[in-house]
Amino acid sequence: MNGGDEFGASGDLPPPLDWRFSQVFGERSAGEEVQEVDIISAIEFDKSGDHLATGDRGGRVVLFERTDSKNATGARRDLEGTDYPLRHPEFRYKTEFQSHEPEFDYLKSLEIEEKINKIRWSQTANGALFLLSTNDKTIKFWKVQDKKIKKICDINTDSSRLIGNGSVASSSNSNSTNTCLANGGLPDNSLSNDFSLQPGGIPLLRLPAVTTSHETSPVARCRRVYTHAHDYHINSISNNSDGETFISADDLRINLWNLEISNQSFNIVDVKPANMEDLTEVITSAEFHPTHCNTLAYSSSKGSIRLIDLRQSALCDSHSKLFEDTETPSSRSFFTEIIASISDIKFAKQGRYILSRDYMTLKLWDINMDSGPVSTFQVHEYLRPKLCDLYENDSIFDKFECCLSGDGLRVATGSYSNLFRVFGVTPGNTETTTLEASKNPMRRQVTTPSRPSRSLSSITRVVRREGGSPGTDGNGNTFDHTTKLLHLAWHPTENSIACAAANSLYMYYA
């Protein structure tokens, strides 16, 4: 893999992966009603892959940490050379905190939901974890660090010096010597409610002492709040490789922030026309280049991706490269522009390729070739005859995310009926795997119980229509547009995928 080419030669095809179930968090029983606030709305691994963060519609961020890597006796590469099979990645719950609360914009008479739209990890420092989380309007910078638990010790007095109602105080006081209580608590009956002191006071009175135990507990603290910079709903945030800045994007603008400065940002992209009636496209996603701090890409609702260079000008309204896939006029229809809208883009690890997801397809772009995508993967082509029905129930506006493996050899994205698909991208590789978010991922038939439909658009709140018989997918299995897998993430160094199905987090490995 030279020159940032992650995908190798066509003559050296990797073997297909055998995907297996690893873990599930928040599994629900059949027929159990899912609360709206518990539905997962964002997933992100950190760069090391040892931590995973999820955000939900209730404004909470939940952190998980890897446990199996801590027990390994050697480097993973060394263990791969042995005859012993590797244990699959295992994570455990670490902590959770309330990142955002519901707000109300009195100037615009607008309710601001607490739903977490995106989570992005920042660089770690001094053993602490840092991450950015955002809802529609406000971005917050969080620090999560293990703090040693402090306890109150030596809460006692000399019982022989305490006289209550003419009698010596209970001996239980003296027995409490060296008692340690967390959070400043007092033992029961440690002091009498009515006692008198001898003349001259108590010379042997001990004051409570605070001691630090060896136990630790993760504590989340909000370090910065970045607000009042977006008139429209924030759809993306992305950290820069310089470790100092990040971008936030809404429908019409992209702002550049410094992590240490919360009251000022720079507008670097503005596609808002002088007359809003002339508006033809909006920004749907934005991402910094993984290694070049001056380069970023953003996608639009017209299906195009623009690469911009921050060195060219302060306001980057003109792009350095434009990537779009032109369709023949004969194949255009009423739905062409709707399904062409890109919902997510991701740079490959070395930054040579960009992966984009529109409603029907995944496309892989080479940033050195702007004539068209190098590969196109059909995600659910069987839905094309049903576009009219999907438009009627607003499912056509669902925004699916995409992800790439750390080695760049495979890509993945979600679909309906809680299915997700994995494609091999090496030239000549025809690997295509369909998995279901369940304990049996290779099961094709979906039998999840019906649930009330939900709004999933972060730009426009839509109302799903109840009823109607579900269709079938390309394999003849039941297709249910109310169960969808929108959010997923690939481990940065291993073949492990985390995906969200409503309020449940499923993890798979190969």
Side-chain angles (χ1 to χ4, degrees), residues 135-413:
N135 64 354
D136 288 338
K137 296 291 184 181
T138 304
I139 307 165
K140 294 185 179 182
F141 186 47
W142 292 91
K143 176 183 179 180
V144 182
Q145 189 172 27
D146 287 335
K147 296 286 188 180
K148 290 185 176 180
I149 300 175
K150 293 184 178 181
K151 296 184 178 181
I152 305 297
C153 294
D154 297 331
I155 305 178
N156 78 314
T157 54
D158 190 345
S159 60
S160 63
R161 301 283 182 170
L162 280 177
I163 302 176
N165 296 326
S167 62
V168 178
S170 173
S171 61
S172 63
N173 295 323
S174 60
N175 294 335
S176 62
T177 303
N178 297 326
T179 301
C180 294
L181 294 173
N183 302 322
L186 285 170
D188 293 337
N189 301 322
S190 60
L191 290 176
S192 176
N193 291 329
D194 50 343
F195 67 90
S196 60
L197 299 180
Q198 289 183 342
I202 304 178
L204 300 180
L205 175 65
R206 292 188 186 182
L207 295 176
V210 179
T211 61
T212 302
S213 70
H214 297 289
E215 300 176 12
T216 60
S217 176
V219 177
R221 293 179 179 173
C222 184
R223 297 291 302 275
R224 301 279 189 280
V225 178
Y226 313 90
T227 187
H228 305 307
H230 288 278
D231 292 330
Y232 303 92
H233 290 179
I234 299 172
N235 55 49
S236 302
I237 52 175
S238 178
N239 280 305
N240 198 346
S241 59
D242 62 10
E244 297 179 357
T245 56
F246 70 94
I247 56 171
S248 59
D250 63 23
D251 296 349
L252 300 179
R253 293 186 178 93
I254 299 177
N255 293 330
L256 178 67
W257 300 83
N258 188 298
L259 283 169
E260 299 298 323
I261 303 173
S262 60
N263 60 356
Q264 184 182 28
S265 66
F266 298 94
N267 179 228
I268 56 176
V269 175
D270 189 348
V271 300
K272 183 178 181 180
N275 185 358
M276 284 296 284
E277 293 182 357
D278 298 330
L279 182 67
T280 58
E281 61 181 334
V282 296
I283 299 169
T284 57
S285 183
E287 182 101 349
F288 257 121
H289 191 281
T291 58
H292 298 164
C293 61
N294 57 281
T295 304
L296 63 92
Y298 70 91
S299 59
S300 79
S301 57
K302 276 195 169 182
S304 61
I305 301 174
R306 290 173 172 84
L307 202 66
I308 63 176
D309 191 337
L310 297 176
R311 298 171 299 184
Q312 288 184 342
S313 63
L315 188 61
C316 304
D317 287 338
S318 59
H319 51 268
S320 57
K321 284 189 177 180
L322 175 66
F323 306 95
E324 54 185 355
D325 191 10
T326 56
E327 233 181 303
T328 57
S330 59
S331 62
R332 293 185 62 85
S333 68
F334 172 78
F335 305 108
T336 299
E337 287 193 5
I338 300 176
I339 63 176
S341 177
I342 295 175
S343 56
D344 190 27
I345 60 172
K346 292 287 194 311
F347 272 100
K349 189 174 184 179
Q350 303 299 325
R352 168 77 181 272
Y353 296 90
I354 299 176
L355 179 68
S356 68
R357 170 68 202 264
D358 57 42
Y359 188 69
M360 298 295 292
T361 64
L362 271 176
K363 293 176 181 176
L364 191 68
W365 308 79
D366 187 337
I367 64 173
N368 297 327
M369 186 181 75
D370 54 6
S371 58
V374 295
S375 299
T376 301
F377 309 96
Q378 304 295 335
V379 179
H380 38 216
E381 187 64 21
Y382 62 89
L383 291 181
R384 196 169 292 274
K386 303 182 177 69
L387 289 179
C388 186
D389 295 334
L390 294 167
Y391 178 78
E392 287 284 334
N393 58 44
D394 290 320
S395 294
I396 201 171
F397 301 107
D398 287 334
K399 293 170 175 55
F400 293 93
E401 294 179 0
C402 59
C403 59
L404 301 96
S405 61
D407 56 15
L409 298 179
R410 294 171 179 86
V411 296
T413 190

